Amino acid sequence: MDERAEERHRMVAEQIASRGIENAAVLDAMREVPRHLFVPGAEQRWAYDDGPLPIGHNQTISQPYIVALMTELARPAPTDRALEIGTGTGYQTAILARLVSHVYSIEIVEELSRQAAARLEALGIRNVTLRVGDGHAGWPEEAPFDIVLSAAAPEHVPPSLVEQLAPGGRLVIPAGPSHAQELLLMEKGENGGVSSRVVTAVRFVPLLHRR
Ligand code: SAH
């Protein structure tokens, strides 16, 4: 399974550490999770390239650097419970699963969720719970979360996701119209106040509304 470990080490050195990601646990997770096993067969040879890749259903898996950046911004801790919106291939889910105690992940495309579940199972990743649905509502039955991370961009941050943050929780989410999205880091203080900062301009697939 590790015939591509060398490519992953190079990916981390050249695309991720070189751009300022410093969290050692995040860098280790990016070195260890076999990204090529999460992308469709035709894309596997490009799995460690410096860009997003198509995953079917008009969706994409994010560029490795963006996955690492969002994960670092979330400041994962071993006891954290995380909510992910947009399971996609399950790659970001697998990265988070190495760094927190449990990941709850919602995907709107049933087939993507099913495939992600099979991959995570095959890799022996058990501290994840997947569900098919519309992430706008979050996952109230399992809230609150220390981390909420969205891999798809709403025009405006859904209030449910902010509400479902625990005190001290971090929400990492791209938001805005498709031509002008920003990656936001929102934090809920211990007293419930919420701060927000713009990290960088980004381009994500839109957070879809359930039809
Ligand atoms: N994190 C993923 C990348 C997924 S791309 C990975 O590592 O592969 C964004 C994903 O969000 C897509 O799979 C898309 O189907 C999903 N998505 C879009 N709108 C959604 C919504 N409203 N609720 C849940 N998932 C959604």
Side-chain angles (χ1 to χ4, degrees), residues 55 59-62 67 84-93 106-109 112 133-136 151-152 205-210:
I55 61 172
Q59 300 302 329
T60 57
I61 180 173
S62 301
V67 173
E84 177 188 36
I85 311 298
T87 316
T89 65
Y91 176 67
Q92 171 83 71
T93 322
I106 307 176
E107 169 57 53
I108 203 164
V109 178
L112 289 176
D134 183 348
H136 280 94
V205 294
L207 188 68
L208 304 172
H209 285 272
R210 183 153 30 202

Side-chain angles (χ1 to χ4, degrees), residues 80-168:
D80 282 352
R81 301 167 73 254
L83 172 66
E84 177 188 36
I85 311 298
T87 316
T89 65
Y91 176 67
Q92 171 83 71
T93 322
I95 296 284
L96 275 174
R98 299 192 69 95
L99 301 168
V100 303
S101 72
H102 202 94
V103 183
Y104 297 85
S105 185
I106 307 176
E107 169 57 53
I108 203 164
V109 178
E110 183 173 359
E111 193 187 343
L112 289 176
S113 183
R114 210 174 332 112
Q115 292 169 345
R119 285 187 195 104
L120 293 164
E121 166 86 34
L123 289 168
I125 298 170
R126 306 245 185 276
N127 58 333
V128 300
T129 308
L130 307 189
R131 127 167 162 189
V132 177
D134 183 348
H136 280 94
W139 195 322
E141 300 84 352
E142 294 295 346
F145 301 99
D146 304 293
I147 292 171
V148 178
L149 188 155
S150 180
E155 288 237 357
H156 304 284
V157 176
S160 309
L161 301 186
V162 179
E163 279 159 23
Q164 290 173 29
L165 277 181

Side-chain angles (χ1 to χ4, degrees), residues 152-156 174-183 200-208:
E155 288 237 357
H156 304 284
S178 60
H179 56 278
Q181 293 170 6
E182 293 172 325
L183 183 63
T200 184
V202 285
R203 180 141 202 155
F204 278 76
V205 294
L207 188 68
L208 304 172

